Amino acid sequence: MNWEIWATSGIIVATLTALATNLGPPDMLLMGGTVCLGLLGILDAGEVFAGFVNPAVLTIAALYVVAAAMRETGAMDRVSALILGRARTERDAFVRMTVPITVMSAFLNNTPIVAMFVPLLRQWCRHHGVSPSRLLIPLSYLAILGGTCTLVGTSTNLVVNGLILDAVNKRPALGQFLEPLSLFELSPLGVPFAVVGFVYLLLVGRRLLPDRKDLIENLGNLRREYLLNMRIGRGCRLADQSVEGGGLRHLSGLFLTEVVRGEQVIAPVQPDLILRADDVLTFTGVVGTIIDLERIHGLIAVTEPDKERATTDTFDRSLCEAVVSSTSPLIGLSVRDADFRARYNAAILAVHRGGERLRGRVGDIVVQSGDALLLQTGPHFTRAHRNNPDFCLVSGIEEARPVRHEKSLLSIGLLGGLLILIATGVVPIVLAAFLIAGLMVATRCISAGVARQAVDWQTLLTIGAALALGKALEKTGCAELVSAKVVQAVGSMGPHVILAFAYLATTILSEIITNRAAAVLMFPVALGIAGQMGLSPRPFVMAIMFAAASTFVTPLGYQTNLMVYGPGGYRYTDFVRVGLPLSLSLLVLATVLVPVIWPF
């Protein structure tokens, strides 16, 4: 072997070891290995950074913006309300979320989907006394399984498709075996993966999940409680629904105390009471659950008399808390007389005083020193008044950014347009993704600032660096050497055994490092194995792609597993116990079906 092979092997082994032992962030470790290859001259400067302009990486960046726009417009929230609205037991919640999460993950990057559903499921668990440890691992696994069903379901699929395009460009002879993937080419195997995963989780996996009862208590929000009035506006989904049917019954930390209908006050509120448009609902609850009310389209916060409707669905509103200082000019004045809205460009929704939530009309409350005010504000209120002596504390409330409900149908239409463009192949995937992402910003489904924040730059850096390492494996001949050794060791056992070996090796690498890096590193090995045996490379490429995209055994292998790790109160062994049987089942399924769908 020449020195380049030894150096490349050493750097990649060192990088994998550092990743496996968690010596640093994956993006930094992979980038460090790539830079070392560049400094040694194994890769030139263009090859070191070529991965960052790879069409697959750019497509992933655009899809982050599309998914964020779906969240910002409330399109995903509407879907989630339909999914969990009538679930009463843990099993009900699991069954109801299975198909929607799987389908959404097939067409949207699964990372933002899991990011959206984690707080929603935690909220549902809080309302129904269920430990989130019973639902969050299934959430991650369902999203992963859904991502295997289409080309755009997960960034791993897009990365492998990008590798196929690069390989064909460099070696046109491969074109007869490695055509670019179509949108639904993965479905014949991805759908069986999802079905097997669902059946396993329903019949076996749920029995292996932990039930951390102590987490139920931790779901309670210990922040101040407020009393808040909300009006049912025209078009609100709560209109003509019963209290229970609208999901307002058994809300942990949030109580519907009365309903005012014209001059009639209805209290206590019965679960079968039919709500009407213009009803005013009085809730008591903590800030976290009040945010949930704010997200219901058409449910309008009642502030000062005759001014309620001015606060409806503006793009720039937010929620803040402010504590009145002892020197504030507001002290001794009623909210109405203080003209709070004109003075601070904000509206008082509720007041908390000395451990108690204050009742009555907000405009009649006389402000005292130490009062905690729940405010509906403009986007810059916190920054503008953080040092204002009128308040001794001003803090923004996380997750309280307004939802652009009126843009939800538009965002859904744009997403449909993206899927049509990808399915028909009228334009390249990367151009279609950037077109739709740009239209999301242009039509104000999402602001430019939020769009920039939505892109997971760490993930993109990880993928780009991993692509450079894969390039080094191919350029130095290291991949060809490894594939020759594999064929020499197990080639006599037949292509099915080698296929299973490639799948298993990719799975192990994915659990140790990251799934995208594993796919990139194993891709040239898969091509080498096929070349050594004189077989079509397509089934081997499909095997490593599905293996890399189906990572269940550790929280480190896939980002969605990490996202539920903390909120679910899980231990490392929980993923091993639940995920290992699923991974082995899918290994057998892939070994059987891949050669049938993509013959050797």
Side-chain angles (χ1 to χ4, degrees):
M1 290 191 295
N2 57 38
W3 74 269
E4 287 95 345
I5 292 180
W6 283 110
T8 300
S9 301
I11 289 172
I12 289 179
V13 169
T15 302
L16 297 181
T17 302
L19 287 166
T21 54
N22 200 28
L23 289 182
D27 56 333
M28 294 295 101
L29 294 175
L30 288 166
M31 198 65 223
T34 300
V35 170
C36 288
L37 291 169
L39 292 174
L40 291 175
I42 295 172
L43 296 176
D44 60 40
E47 292 169 331
V48 169
F49 298 104
F52 301 110
V53 293
N54 183 285
V57 176
L58 297 175
T59 301
I60 293 165
L63 289 179
Y64 274 122
V65 176
V66 173
M70 297 291 291
R71 185 177 63 248
E72 290 289 305
T73 60
M76 287 186 173
D77 290 335
R78 288 189 174 189
V79 172
S80 64
L82 292 173
I83 294 170
L84 297 174
R86 297 184 180 276
R88 294 293 177 265
T89 67
E90 169 210 324
R91 189 180 186 279
D92 287 344
F94 170 72
V95 172
R96 289 179 66 89
M97 75 183 189
T98 296
V99 173
I101 288 176
T102 304
V103 171
M104 283 193 290
S105 296
F107 297 104
L108 287 170
N109 189 284
N110 44 32
T111 302
I113 290 174
V114 171
M116 179 197 72
F117 270 92
V118 165
L120 293 172
L121 285 176
R122 281 171 60 85
Q123 174 191 344
W124 184 91
C125 289
R126 184 175 65 236
H127 293 167
H128 295 83
V130 174
S131 171
S133 63
R134 302 292 299 169
L135 290 174
L136 293 188
I137 276 182
L139 166 65
S140 177
Y141 286 6
L142 289 172
I144 292 171
L145 291 165
T148 65
C149 294
T150 70
L151 174 60
V152 297
T154 175
S155 56
T156 305
N157 299 345
L158 291 168
V159 167
V160 173
N161 192 50
L163 292 172
I164 290 174
L165 293 172
D166 286 344
V168 172
N169 287 335
K170 294 170 185 174
R171 297 163 58 187
L174 288 174
Q176 59 180 318
F177 304 109
L178 284 179
E179 295 179 357
L181 300 174
S182 62
L183 180 61
F184 294 106
E185 183 176 352
L186 309 182
S187 302
L189 183 57
V191 173
F193 262 44
V195 171
V196 168
F198 166 71
V199 173
Y200 166 79
L201 288 171
L202 181 64
L203 301 181
V204 180
R206 289 178 58 248
R207 301 176 185 274
L208 302 176
L209 288 166
D211 190 5
R212 305 271 152 72
K213 294 293 187 183
D214 55 318
L215 280 177
I216 299 175
E217 297 179 3
N218 294 336
L219 289 175
N221 193 326
L222 300 180
R223 301 186 70 170
R224 290 174 285 273
E225 287 193 356
Y226 294 95
L227 184 144
L228 184 70
N229 294 318
M230 307 288 288
R231 172 178 279 115
I232 298 178
R234 302 292 175 180
C236 178
R237 67 172 178 82
L238 298 178
D240 302 321
Q241 287 255 21
S242 67
V243 171
E244 186 166 14
L248 301 181
R249 185 77 171 162
H250 304 302
L251 300 176
S252 176
L254 185 69
F255 304 93
L256 177 57
T257 60
E258 67 181 29
V259 175
V260 178
R261 181 173 296 163
E263 299 298 323
Q264 180 187 10
V265 178
I266 304 172
V269 180
Q270 299 299 321
D272 58 353
L273 175 68
I274 302 299
L275 301 173
R276 305 297 183 196
D278 288 327
D279 282 355
V280 175
L281 314 182
T282 300
F283 294 92
T284 62
V286 294
V287 169
T289 47
I290 289 173
I291 292 173
D292 298 334
L293 294 178
E294 283 271 302
R295 291 184 177 274
I296 298 177
H297 179 45
L299 192 60
I300 306 164
V302 176
T303 56
E304 300 162 55
D306 301 323
K307 296 183 180 179
E308 302 93 333
R309 299 182 189 275
T311 64
T312 307
D313 283 325
T314 57
F315 286 172
D316 56 355
R317 69 179 183 180
S318 187
L319 291 182
C320 292
E321 283 185 295
V323 179
V324 179
S325 71
S326 59
T327 60
S328 174
L330 302 172
I331 295 174
L333 298 176
S334 69
V335 171
R336 183 183 301 103
D337 293 340
D339 204 11
F340 193 92
R341 185 191 299 272
R343 188 189 296 250
Y344 299 105
N345 191 27
I348 298 176
L349 300 181
V351 181
H352 178 98
R353 177 181 297 160
E356 298 181 356
R357 48 186 181 267
L358 299 188
R359 303 185 64 87
R361 297 177 70 87
V362 172
D364 297 332
I365 295 175
V366 177
V367 179
Q368 296 183 13
S369 175
D371 282 354
L373 313 178
L374 179 64
L375 307 176
Q376 190 176 72
T377 73
H380 307 300
F381 180 89
T382 302
R383 185 172 59 188
H385 296 284
R386 188 178 299 278
N387 298 316
N388 191 326
D390 296 356
F391 308 105
C392 55
L393 175 67
V394 175
S395 62
I397 297 172
E398 295 181 5
E399 307 291 333
R401 190 163 58 236
V403 179
R404 305 172 183 228
H405 292 290
E406 52 269 44
K407 300 288 186 178
S408 61
L409 293 179
L410 176 59
S411 67
I412 292 172
L414 289 173
L415 175 63
L418 173 62
L419 299 179
I420 291 172
L421 289 175
I422 293 174
T424 58
V426 175
V427 295
I429 293 176
V430 62
L431 294 181
F434 268 87
L435 171 65
I436 300 302
L439 288 175
M440 290 286 193
V441 176
T443 58
R444 299 190 68 194
C445 290
I446 185 173
S447 69
V450 175
R452 294 188 192 98
Q453 297 171 12
V455 178
D456 188 343
W457 300 106
Q458 182 178 4
T459 295
L460 299 184
L461 189 62
T462 299
I463 298 171
L467 287 170
L469 292 181
K471 174 65 178 178
L473 281 174
E474 181 183 3
K475 183 178 180 180
T476 60
C478 191
E480 184 178 354
L481 180 64
V482 171
S483 59
K485 296 294 183 183
V486 170
V487 171
Q488 182 180 353
V490 297
S492 60
M493 300 180 186
H496 287 80
V497 174
I498 297 180
L499 185 78
F501 179 86
Y503 188 105
L504 180 62
T506 306
T507 298
I508 293 172
L509 269 181
S510 297
E511 303 292 357
I512 294 174
I513 51 173
T514 67
N515 57 335
R516 303 172 193 89
V520 170
L521 294 178
M522 286 297 297
F523 181 84
V525 176
L527 294 184
I529 290 174
Q532 292 282 335
M533 298 191 68
L535 300 173
S536 168
R538 199 167 191 82
F540 296 98
V541 169
M542 290 297 182
I544 64 109
M545 180 169 62
F546 273 91
S550 308
T551 309
F552 307 102
V553 182
T554 74
L556 303 178
Y558 206 90
Q559 190 165 352
T560 59
N561 289 343
L562 282 173
M563 292 168 67
V564 303
Y565 193 10
Y570 294 117
R571 302 187 181 101
Y572 193 95
T573 52
D574 294 330
F575 287 87
V576 177
R577 183 173 58 253
V578 181
L580 184 58
L582 177 57
S583 288
L584 293 176
S585 300
L586 296 180
L587 166 61
V588 174
L589 183 63
T591 303
V592 173
L593 291 185
V594 165
V596 175
I597 302 169
W598 300 281
F600 291 116

